[in-house]
Amino acid sequence: MALAILAAGCTSANTASVTTTTYIGVRGGSISFGMAQIPTGCNPHTTTGNAPATRLILNAVLPSPFVINDNGNPTPNPNVIVQSELISTKPETIVYTLNPHAVWSDGAPITAKDFMYAWQQQRADPTSDPTTVASIAGYRDIKSVVGSDKGRTVTVKFHTVFADWQMLFSNLLPAHIMKTVGWNPTCISVNPAIDLSGGPFRISEVSAQAITLSVNSKWWGPPPNVRRIVIHLASSSEQLASWMRTGYVQVALPSTITPSFLSQVTSLPNAQSQVSLSSTVLQLEMANGITTHLSPDMRFAISLSVDRQALVTKQVNWALGSVQVATSHLYAQGQSGYHGTSLPNPNAITSNAPTTSTSTSTTLIGVGGSVNFPAVPSPTQAAALMTASGYVRTDGSPWHTAFGVPLTLHIAVDEGDPWAAAIAPLIKAQLNAAGFAVSLYPVGSAATAGAVLSNGFADMALLPRTTSPFLSQSLAWYTTSLGPPGQNGSQDWTNFDNPMFNTLITTASQQLNPNTATKDYQAADTQLWGDLVGLPLFTEPSTLVWSRKVANITPTPTSDSLLWYAQYWAVRMPENTSSTTPNLPGP
């Protein structure tokens, strides 16, 4: 402080001034971007290509009528559509007017044929392979897709109302290419020969270590601020931290946050970072249906033995203090429609769970959607529920039947999700302390963990559920309406099939009034708590790090739209090197 005062005094007594350098964004140059995930295919709408890294990269390349903005809401993309209009509700009819200048990077126009191809491949045609489509949701509700005005107008008619129509036709693929190579081509990464660009960048080079995006010479919109973005594929968050420290990359997106990574990047003098809530909720899903030995009371007993508050406090809050114990199966924390706990202190939440075998009739959601299910264990209630289910525990032994047969819970763990991998041993320890013997089965992905659960090889699965503004995705999670688990995008890994829930969620997906839909979705979430099909744990944090030598970085923690906004990224240089440079466009 004394030095600061002295410096201030010297400044007032001397006429000499300190010269500061002002940095501004300039057009041109190259930016290196590091990410710790690997693309898995060239078609993001297939089961093999439907990976966050694939979608992230192709968002800079493939055209979409709507994109998810930095607030997590869909917004029209004027470079693809001049207008989209709901012109009728009986039947629901959407008319898209395409940008007349929109073309693929090979010069072929983007037309209604590309929309028609997307629908034909994802509408659950009886002749198609149901295991190759990432999701048929919405497309199966379309009656027809018709082009007019030389293909520049697209009219989509539905035979069943589908409220989330803005999610459809995202990341369009070039129909004239796909009809040659097939819907599910053999490719282990993005492919410039298949993923033609309808965006500001094109894929110019692909290797196992890096993918280069260069300016699309056929792009009709405002030119990107940089000529090239080199995407470096890191093996870990630690490697990304090293790359940021040496300047090898200027923007870094880790797949998870570790204390070491966060301490390294926040200590860098020329870097800034943002830790935010993502759209991914970590959940402990539980087997449902007639084939499982987990009765509703047992699901409640297990859930009442998990200290969710301790998991969040010890394993998550160090990265982001605002993360709370999850209160919803359908919404991520911070998402519109999400209701947090009704009491400020999670430890003060009292349980409405029963002490007898009537748990399915218990209301666990209070007025307004506030969750009353406890964030901390309730050992007495859990023990009563296990006893009511016919299990015995004496002298601290594990739970077993009256005939002495021990109960062992098998939990599949998605180790592809670092948060799940870190939390799994803690959940095992908590359940062990409550008398449950637990075996963990690590697998490589959420889909594999889900398949192990749905096939009856596990009682529970610890896996992430990624939410979006389009809540009709719940049709895939907790109903059989898309088909058996693993087909046509069905992710009903728990085999949950409740007529009341099915009616609620189907009705919600058909409500064009968003306020009415929200009420129906919250009622459906209440039903999931009543059946306790799974135990939501917390919304996973995410982070983005970038150098102060780049400008217009827009973090998009709740979507895969980060590289769509890369068209606004810019290299920053001292102002005196380009004093006549005009202001560059930003997001």
Side-chain angles (χ1 to χ4, degrees):
M1 184 178 297
L3 290 174
I5 295 173
L6 179 61
C10 291
T11 301
S12 61
N14 296 286
T15 58
S17 60
V18 178
T19 302
T20 59
T21 302
T22 301
Y23 285 84
I24 62 170
V26 298
R27 192 175 297 282
S30 175
I31 292 176
S32 293
F33 167 62
M35 57 187 291
Q37 294 178 323
I38 309 298
T40 57
C42 55
N43 183 349
H45 306 298
T46 61
T47 52
T48 55
N50 182 30
T54 306
R55 297 192 302 268
L56 182 73
I57 294 170
L58 292 180
N59 256 317
V61 175
L62 300 180
S64 299
F66 290 82
V67 296
I68 306 301
N69 62 22
D70 56 333
N71 292 321
N73 298 314
T75 184
N77 180 0
N79 295 310
V80 177
I81 56 171
V82 175
Q83 184 179 18
S84 62
E85 186 178 3
L86 173 65
I87 65 170
S88 173
T89 58
K90 295 181 179 180
E92 181 183 3
T93 305
I94 313 295
V95 175
Y96 301 88
T97 303
L98 303 187
N99 190 315
H101 304 292
V103 296
W104 296 103
S105 50
D106 65 353
I110 297 174
T111 69
K113 292 182 179 179
D114 301 305
F115 285 72
M116 293 171 63
Y117 179 79
W119 168 56
Q120 291 165 352
Q121 297 299 317
Q122 299 175 89
R123 63 182 178 183
D125 191 300
T127 62
S128 63
D129 184 352
T131 64
T132 64
V133 178
S135 179
I136 63 171
Y139 293 102
R140 62 173 183 170
D141 299 309
I142 296 175
K143 180 180 180 181
S144 64
V145 178
V146 178
S148 58
D149 188 26
K150 298 182 180 180
R152 294 298 189 177
T153 299
V154 186
T155 301
V156 180
K157 289 186 178 181
F158 292 77
H159 57 72
T160 302
V161 175
F162 184 69
D164 285 339
W165 58 270
Q166 292 174 325
M167 67 180 276
L168 303 175
F169 305 110
S170 63
N171 286 336
L172 279 173
L173 293 156
H176 63 291
I177 298 295
M178 301 305 294
K179 288 179 180 179
T180 300
V181 301
W183 170 254
N184 192 25
T186 302
C187 46
I188 60 174
S189 184
V190 295
N191 188 324
I194 295 174
D195 299 310
L196 298 187
S197 178
F201 294 98
R202 64 179 178 86
I203 302 170
S204 55
E205 294 181 44
V206 177
S207 71
Q209 294 77 36
I211 297 166
T212 301
L213 303 177
S214 301
V215 170
N216 176 11
S217 62
K218 299 292 185 179
W219 176 241
W220 58 95
N225 291 332
V226 294
R227 292 192 300 268
R228 186 177 67 165
I229 295 176
V230 182
I231 304 169
H232 296 281
L233 307 177
S235 59
S236 65
S237 298
E238 298 304 312
Q239 187 173 37
L240 284 179
S242 174
W243 286 352
M244 281 295 302
R245 186 172 59 254
T246 61
Y248 185 63
V249 300
Q250 290 82 52
V251 186
L253 179 67
S255 58
T256 192
I257 313 171
T258 64
S260 174
F261 174 84
L262 207 55
S263 64
Q264 289 185 67
V265 298
T266 54
S267 65
L268 296 176
N270 294 317
Q272 56 192 108
S273 60
Q274 177 175 306
V275 181
S276 311
L277 290 165
S278 72
S279 58
T280 299
V281 181
L282 187 63
Q283 303 208 46
L284 183 63
E285 304 282 12
M286 304 188 195
N288 249 263
I290 59 175
T291 59
T292 178
H293 67 170
L294 292 186
S295 67
D297 282 347
M298 292 175 67
R299 294 198 298 272
F300 272 86
I302 292 166
S303 300
L304 289 168
S305 302
V306 176
D307 192 337
R308 297 187 294 156
Q309 186 59 56
L311 297 178
V312 171
T313 302
K314 296 177 181 178
Q315 293 294 318
V316 187
N317 284 152
W318 62 265
L320 186 61
S322 61
V323 176
Q324 301 172 353
V325 172
T327 61
S328 174
H329 297 80
L330 307 184
Y331 297 88
Q333 181 185 339
Q335 188 175 359
S336 177
Y338 179 86
H339 290 277
T341 54
S342 56
L343 298 173
N345 178 9
N347 294 323
I349 297 175
T350 58
S351 172
N352 283 338
T355 56
T356 59
S357 56
T358 57
S359 57
T360 55
S361 63
T362 300
T363 299
L364 295 171
I365 308 288
V367 176
S370 58
V371 174
N372 296 319
F373 195 87
V376 295
S378 181
T380 301
Q381 291 176 320
L385 289 167
M386 288 301 296
T387 300
S389 299
Y391 287 90
V392 179
R393 187 187 187 201
T394 56
D395 299 326
S397 65
W399 288 106
H400 56 273
T401 68
F403 302 101
V405 180
L407 170 67
T408 299
L409 300 176
H410 304 280
I411 305 178
V413 180
D414 171 21
E415 291 217 327
D417 181 274
W419 293 104
I423 292 295
L426 302 182
I427 290 181
K428 178 180 179 180
Q430 290 179 358
L431 292 177
N432 286 163
F436 296 96
V438 175
S439 293
L440 299 179
Y441 290 96
V443 295
S445 69
T448 304
V452 171
L453 176 62
S454 66
N455 291 332
F457 297 113
D459 304 298
M460 294 177 284
L462 185 60
L463 49 77
R465 293 281 198 183
T466 300
T467 66
S468 80
F470 308 112
L471 293 178
S472 58
Q473 65 193 359
S474 310
L475 289 164
W477 291 357
Y478 298 114
T479 77
T480 59
S481 62
L482 300 189
Q487 296 188 17
N488 289 327
S490 174
Q491 300 176 42
D492 185 20
W493 308 123
T494 65
N495 293 310
F496 182 65
D497 188 13
N498 180 289
M500 183 179 296
F501 176 82
N502 294 346
T503 299
L504 284 169
I505 210 73
T506 301
T507 301
S509 70
Q510 297 173 354
Q511 295 292 341
L512 294 173
N513 184 324
N515 294 327
T516 304
T518 296
K519 293 179 182 178
D520 288 338
Y521 280 120
Q522 290 176 343
D525 199 13
T526 301
Q527 183 66 43
L528 292 176
W529 278 106
D531 288 307
L532 208 61
V533 62
L535 183 65
L537 301 177
F538 56 84
T539 297
E540 298 180 355
S542 70
T543 188
L544 184 70
V545 185
W546 63 96
S547 167
R548 299 184 188 276
K549 294 183 179 179
V550 295
N552 297 340
I553 303 297
T554 303
T556 57
T558 60
S559 75
D560 300 315
S561 302
L562 178 66
L563 290 182
W564 187 85
Y565 286 99
Q567 59 189 295
Y568 303 114
W569 294 2
V571 176
R572 299 182 72 208
M573 299 290 287
E575 187 174 21
N576 58 8
T577 65
S578 184
S579 59
T580 60
T581 299
N583 291 332
L584 297 178

